[in-house]
Amino acid sequence: MLNFFFEKLASRLKSENDLSDITWAMAHTSSKFTTAFIQFFFKDIIPVEKSSSIFIEREWSKDNSRPDFYFTYEDNHFLIENKIYDREQHFEEYVKVFDIPNNHLGYITNYPLKMEGFTVHTWREFYNYISKLIPDDESDLWNAYLSYLKKCCNLNISTTPMKLKETYSLFTLYHSIEDIVSFSNEYFQTVVADNAFNKGWFSNRAGGNFKGGPTDGIMGKYFHVSFKDSSIEETYGWFGVYFNFEEPVICIAFFNFEGCGWPVYKRLFPLYINQKMPEGNLCSDPYLEEQDDSRSTVDAFFFDFLPPEDFENTTLEEQKEVLRKFFSEVMTKIALSEPLEDENTLTTAPADSSISGEEESMENY
């Protein structure tokens, strides 16, 4: 429960200042964490037995410079700078303004960075470092902090051994999507939209969606849908798998972006709020996932596939047929859904400069 709470904090408190504040709070809660934090940066300068008594401060402002952490040891100043996405660096500036030698500046980023004359660490290194130092009497606190750090910095860290032969299933699923989502019946018509959204990390060609790509554990394709009921305008959805879990999740998503999913999102939102669309035989009830990635502000409704117990013991053609039934069940539920009055309150899809202009027109699907 505590880990989950900190993960939720990370979905809202995810800026560099937020991460610095949470890390500062950890250091002021646990002297063992203080020791680990200082030793991570300055083990060649400060003895381990002296580290726990050091008082770490948040931000030292001087001449328009403001490093994230500072402390004094034996009348010498030490600074630590935190970077998540910001790539404006301050190495020479801090050394000059605060009159410190290079090795008194600790620097930690969420991306690889090399700077001549300085030592730069990453938050991934720090995560792995303190994971090995968790004290038994503070394990709940440290694990909760690690949950926050992992979510805040989008660290993809797994401890599950690899099973290389199973990765072929991902290839098979991806290249089965066209067979699964191609429909034309009395309620809707769908087809893979290979030529839509074909730019950038969220594209069909990259195998991802607006929330990420294969490097984030997301792989799938967009599809175009037109409903025979003209009350829902034609739009796009996404079908794929989130394989960044030990139990991968096959799902369908409709985003609240003007060019991708908004008509369906607008129909689903009041149904979701009023609990008017329960789960089916093969699909979960729709749930709303808020976007917590700095690259985009797009949210989405998801329907998860509920696989039958014997799904993995059947042939590929039988599996594809079950997935077609899942897809049809979701799309039919949407097609037959009755609009609620609340739908009229959602009149405008959110604008997003980070993805606008990237999608293709409906004519090109």
Side-chain angles (χ1 to χ4, degrees):
M1 184 66 75
L2 188 60
N3 287 7
F4 183 71
F5 173 75
F6 271 77
E7 286 177 10
K8 287 300 180 184
L9 278 183
S11 69
R12 304 297 299 178
L13 305 178
K14 55 190 176 184
S15 69
E16 289 174 359
N17 277 335
D18 294 328
L19 176 55
S20 295
D21 286 341
I22 296 293
T23 302
W24 173 87
M26 272 293 295
H28 281 253
T29 302
S30 167
S31 60
K32 295 176 182 177
F33 183 88
T34 300
T35 297
F37 191 61
I38 290 176
Q39 287 296 300
F40 179 72
F41 293 100
F42 307 112
K43 65 179 180 179
D44 295 331
I45 305 174
I46 303 175
V48 62
E49 64 272 13
K50 299 289 186 179
S51 299
S52 63
S53 60
I54 290 175
F55 192 82
I56 299 175
E57 296 280 7
R58 268 288 278 128
E59 299 183 337
W60 181 5
S61 183
K62 183 179 180 182
D63 296 343
N64 294 319
S65 296
R66 191 174 62 182
D68 293 292
F69 304 96
Y70 77 94
F71 63 87
T72 301
Y73 171 71
E74 292 187 345
D75 296 326
N76 294 306
H77 298 306
F78 291 80
L79 311 178
I80 299 173
E81 177 70 353
N82 161 33
K83 297 288 186 181
I84 300 180
Y85 300 109
D86 179 19
R87 292 177 181 263
E88 182 179 352
Q89 313 303 341
H90 308 284
F91 292 93
E92 300 295 345
E93 172 191 336
Y94 286 172
V95 166
K96 180 180 179 180
V97 170
F98 295 97
D99 191 24
I100 59 173
N102 290 8
N103 64 351
H104 283 204
L105 174 60
Y107 220 90
I108 187 165
T109 65
N110 201 31
Y111 45 83
L113 177 65
K114 183 178 181 180
M115 182 62 64
E116 190 68 31
F118 296 87
T119 300
V120 184
H121 297 283
T122 66
W123 281 109
R124 185 183 184 90
E125 289 176 39
F126 184 68
Y127 181 100
N128 291 330
Y129 171 76
I130 63 171
S131 293
K132 301 173 183 177
L133 301 175
I134 299 175
D136 291 339
D137 59 337
E138 297 180 5
S139 60
D140 288 348
L141 177 63
W142 285 51
N143 283 319
Y145 173 80
L146 286 172
S147 295
Y148 171 84
L149 178 60
K150 185 176 180 180
K151 184 74 171 178
C152 182
C153 292
N154 291 316
L155 301 178
N156 295 312
I157 296 174
S158 175
T159 58
T160 304
M162 293 180 286
K163 297 180 180 180
L164 296 181
K165 290 183 179 180
E166 294 184 3
T167 60
Y168 189 73
S169 294
L170 181 61
F171 176 85
T172 302
L173 174 62
Y174 183 75
H175 289 283
S176 298
I177 292 176
E178 186 169 356
D179 298 331
I180 294 167
V181 307
S182 297
F183 270 89
S184 180
N185 59 28
E186 61 183 306
Y187 301 118
F188 61 89
Q189 181 175 354
T190 50
V191 63
V192 164
D194 270 331
N195 292 324
F197 310 99
N198 60 6
K199 300 176 183 177
W201 56 269
F202 53 78
S203 71
N204 256 338
R205 294 175 186 176
N209 63 25
F210 284 131
K211 288 181 173 287
T215 58
D216 304 295
I218 303 170
M219 197 165 189
K221 292 188 176 188
Y222 294 102
F223 60 88
H224 177 270
V225 55
S226 57
F227 294 95
K228 301 301 172 70
D229 176 3
S230 59
S231 69
I232 305 178
E233 299 174 3
E234 62 177 323
T235 187
Y236 292 99
W238 184 85
F239 181 98
V241 60
Y242 278 59
F243 59 95
N244 52 350
F245 305 105
E246 291 191 25
E247 296 290 336
V249 178
I250 295 174
C251 55
I252 298 169
F254 293 96
F255 299 91
N256 68 338
F257 177 55
E258 184 69 49
C260 183
W262 174 246
V264 173
Y265 183 99
K266 187 169 65 170
R267 172 63 60 88
L268 290 176
F269 191 83
L271 296 172
Y272 165 76
I273 294 296
N274 293 281
Q275 299 180 333
K276 296 290 187 180
M277 189 174 282
E279 71 178 41
N281 294 322
L282 293 171
C283 71
S284 70
D285 57 338
Y287 60 92
L288 181 63
E289 183 175 291
E290 295 183 359
Q291 177 67 27
D292 55 14
D293 193 307
S294 66
R295 293 175 293 195
S296 175
T297 57
V298 176
D299 299 335
F301 273 111
F302 285 82
F303 293 85
D304 289 350
F305 173 52
L306 305 176
E309 290 185 6
D310 62 345
F311 180 76
E312 295 188 2
N313 298 321
T314 57
T315 67
L316 175 59
E317 291 306 314
E318 290 171 331
Q319 290 174 336
K320 287 198 289 187
E321 185 58 32
V322 172
L323 287 169
R324 279 178 61 81
K325 290 180 180 178
F326 157 62
F327 184 82
S328 178
E329 184 176 61
V330 171
M331 303 309 297
T332 302
K333 284 163 66 75
I334 295 171
L336 297 179
S337 63
E338 294 291 334
L340 300 182
E341 291 184 4
D342 300 24
E343 182 178 324
N344 297 324
T345 65
L346 296 172
T347 57
T348 306
D352 191 307
S353 59
S354 67
I355 57 177
S356 61
E358 295 287 339
E359 73 280 0
E360 301 290 330
S361 69
M362 293 286 189
E363 298 174 356
N364 294 328
Y365 72 86

